Amino acid sequence: MAESSPQKKPLPSKHNLGDADYNQLVSFFASIGENRFRAQQLLQWVHQRGITNFTSMTDFPKKLRERLSQEAEIVFPEIVMTKTSKDGTLKWLIRLSHGDIIETVYIPEPKRGTLCVSSQVGCSLNCSFCATGKQGFNRNLTMAEIIGQVWLASRELEPQNLPLTNVVMMGMGEPLLNFDPAVSAMSLMLSDYAYGLSKYRVTLSTSGLVPQMKKLGQLSPVALAVSLHAPNDSLRNVLVPINAHYPLNELMAVCRDYFKDEPRRKVMFEYVMLDGINDQPEHAKGLIKLLKGMKAKVNLIPFNPFIGTAYQTSPKKVIEDFQNILVNANIITTVRKTRGEDEGGACGQLVGKVTDKIRRVKPDVKQ
Ligand code: SAH
Ligand code: SF4
């Protein structure tokens, strides 16, 4: 008879220091009797030199390196596939724990490079034109999984001499429904000990969660993009259902105040161009009324179609006419270039691979 093997005790899980921002690392090092400057050193090793192995951190005393190796680890997600578009856009499929897959996109432009980062697997807010929303919500990313996308991209881009100058939180998910991890990750994007990006070049995009936007304004200096998509409540309720909780008068009031201490900064309003739905001159005029007296800029996004959607992209001429109406009213208005089209869409139109785990939950909007 075969001898039954003795039951193995599960190993205690190690503390993932990749999941900690600067303040959390300072507390961690204090808790093990170490000086706060270890936090700075660790961030520099990990995010500036790409080192995640404590034994290689040569300015740490040997004893500390040994202790960290035993008790802690630095784990980021891994790239499972890289897709390159003809226009140079790179898309990485990234595997998280439990096999979830997210997408991160890099868009090269002359003299700059923008990384489009995901904050959730799926999204619960179900905007009617959004492929991510159509998949339902699966789970929030951890801070290590959010900053891990920047870490992985940096490792890939550096050898190719491709710059990473901008980050937009416009991938899969609603970052303000994953508030603390998103804010912590952005603090490392800005930190001189990590990525040192300018606060003007890290942008959080939200569908308009009013209470969380107010909190964000107090905690983080990053740029703000608001997904508007309609000039009135009745249309916005259909396109962006969260509008029923936070209607335009409440949303515009926060936007109006958002950069009140920095007169030169503007909120960016995103507006997806849906053929025959929100792209008519009357909608542009409604938008002018809505933005009156505000420090605002508008980014028109040609709709990126996906299988199963009934929407179509507005014709080029319609987008141009819409833009001209806004420009003539002195509203800075740009049209987003469609990038990475041959690889299934670029930023803000990510599909992911979570269809095996569809789960739509009631959004926890009243945080
Ligand atoms: N949840 C956040 C950020 C992720 S979506 C938000 O809604 O702002 C990033 C941007 O892509 C948003 O402006 C969103 O409205 C836009 N978007 C989503 N699906 C799109 C599609 N199929 N075509 C064009 N833009 C889309
Ligand atoms: Fe979620 Fe943004 Fe997509 Fe709306 S547009 S479903 S908020 S990811």
Side-chain angles (χ1 to χ4, degrees):
M1 218 167 71
E3 221 172 281
S4 66
S5 60
Q7 197 112 55
K8 272 192 188 160
K9 269 198 192 150
L11 289 171
S13 65
K14 289 183 173 181
H15 192 129
N16 183 7
L17 296 185
D19 214 18
D21 62 18
Y22 175 73
N23 290 331
Q24 290 158 343
L25 284 174
V26 167
S27 308
F28 168 78
F29 281 113
S31 76
I32 60 168
E34 288 288 331
N35 194 297
R36 60 188 295 127
F37 70 74
R38 299 287 176 216
Q40 166 184 342
Q41 286 176 312
L42 187 95
L43 287 176
Q44 285 167 328
W45 278 112
V46 175
H47 294 286
Q48 297 183 350
R49 297 179 207 143
I51 302 291
T52 54
N53 171 354
F54 298 114
T55 39
S56 307
M57 300 183 181
T58 46
D59 52 6
F60 283 12
K62 194 153 177 270
K63 271 232 157 78
L64 176 60
R65 282 186 258 163
E66 283 167 1
R67 179 167 184 190
L68 290 175
S69 302
Q70 275 163 14
E71 295 175 17
E73 61 186 355
I74 293 165
V75 181
F76 294 123
E78 54 178 17
I79 292 175
V80 286
M81 198 194 289
T82 305
K83 298 177 180 180
T84 311
S85 298
K86 289 193 203 83
D87 63 12
T89 299
L90 293 169
K91 186 195 274 185
W92 295 290
L93 298 191
I94 295 177
R95 184 171 34 230
L96 313 175
S97 57
H98 310 299
D100 293 314
I101 304 274
I102 50 155
E103 295 178 333
T104 304
V105 175
Y106 174 76
I107 302 153
E109 281 171 284
K111 291 201 186 140
R112 65 181 218 169
T114 301
L115 192 70
C116 181
V117 166
S118 295
S119 57
Q120 299 183 309
V121 185
C123 181
S124 61
L125 296 184
N126 200 17
C127 299
S128 60
F129 53 86
C130 173
T132 303
K134 291 287 148 224
Q135 298 177 81
F137 173 73
N138 188 342
R139 73 168 173 89
N140 279 329
L141 300 196
T142 63
M143 138 78 180
E145 290 167 339
I146 300 175
I147 201 66
Q149 296 168 64
V150 185
W151 187 86
L152 284 170
S154 302
R155 309 281 78 73
E156 295 285 310
L157 298 171
E158 258 168 36
Q160 303 178 58
N161 268 328
L162 290 168
L164 201 175
T165 56
N166 295 54
V167 174
V168 290
M169 300 290 287
M170 291 185 189
M172 298 168 69
E174 168 53 57
L176 292 186
L177 284 181
N178 189 14
F179 193 91
D180 291 342
V183 169
S184 284
M186 292 190 300
S187 76
L188 289 190
M189 295 172 202
L190 303 181
S191 168
D192 285 340
Y193 308 140
Y195 298 95
L197 298 178
S198 150
K199 66 180 181 180
Y200 305 107
R201 290 167 171 249
V202 174
T203 303
L204 182 136
S205 174
T206 179
S207 54
L209 299 162
V210 166
Q212 289 91 334
M213 287 167 70
K214 289 182 184 160
K215 202 165 132 196
L216 181 74
Q218 286 158 8
L219 293 176
S220 178
V222 296
L224 182 72
V226 174
S227 294
L228 195 58
H229 307 314
N232 59 60
D233 282 319
S234 56
L235 182 54
R236 195 163 191 268
N237 284 342
V238 175
L239 302 180
V240 185
I242 198 65
N243 191 71
H245 283 83
Y246 304 118
L248 282 171
N249 63 345
E250 288 181 32
L251 177 60
M252 298 319 278
V254 203
C255 294
R256 223 171 272 278
D257 269 2
Y258 201 82
F259 289 123
K260 64 174 183 301
D261 299 329
E262 292 176 273
R264 294 178 57 177
R265 295 187 86 180
K266 296 182 175 69
V267 173
M268 150 93 83
F269 290 97
E270 294 161 281
Y271 196 99
V272 64
M273 297 298 285
L274 302 166
D275 186 22
I277 305 283
N278 64 352
D279 62 352
Q280 298 301 300
E282 81 227 34
H283 299 116
K285 285 174 201 152
L287 207 49
I288 293 168
K289 243 185 168 169
L290 194 68
L291 299 180
K292 206 170 163 74
M294 273 188 74
K295 294 175 296 155
K297 49 191 174 181
V298 173
N299 190 216
L300 303 177
I301 315 174
F303 171 63
N304 186 44
F306 51 91
I307 293 168
T309 183
Y311 293 119
Q312 288 178 342
T313 315
S314 307
K316 216 170 161 216
K317 171 83 169 67
V318 171
I319 299 180
E320 271 168 27
D321 291 348
F322 197 96
Q323 180 184 26
N324 285 336
I325 297 174
L326 296 181
V327 169
N328 287 338
N330 294 320
I331 299 174
I332 300 167
T333 308
T334 47
V335 179
R336 186 181 293 175
K337 268 197 256 157
T338 43
R339 300 289 302 260
E341 277 176 303
D342 50 325
E343 284 303 342
C347 201
Q349 299 124 51
L350 305 183
V351 182
K353 290 253 180 345
V354 290
T355 36
D356 55 334
K357 293 192 179 170
I358 287 182
R359 179 155 62 97
R360 201 174 297 294
V361 295
K362 273 222 161 325
D364 178 19
V365 290
K366 302 279 182 194
Q367 271 182 10

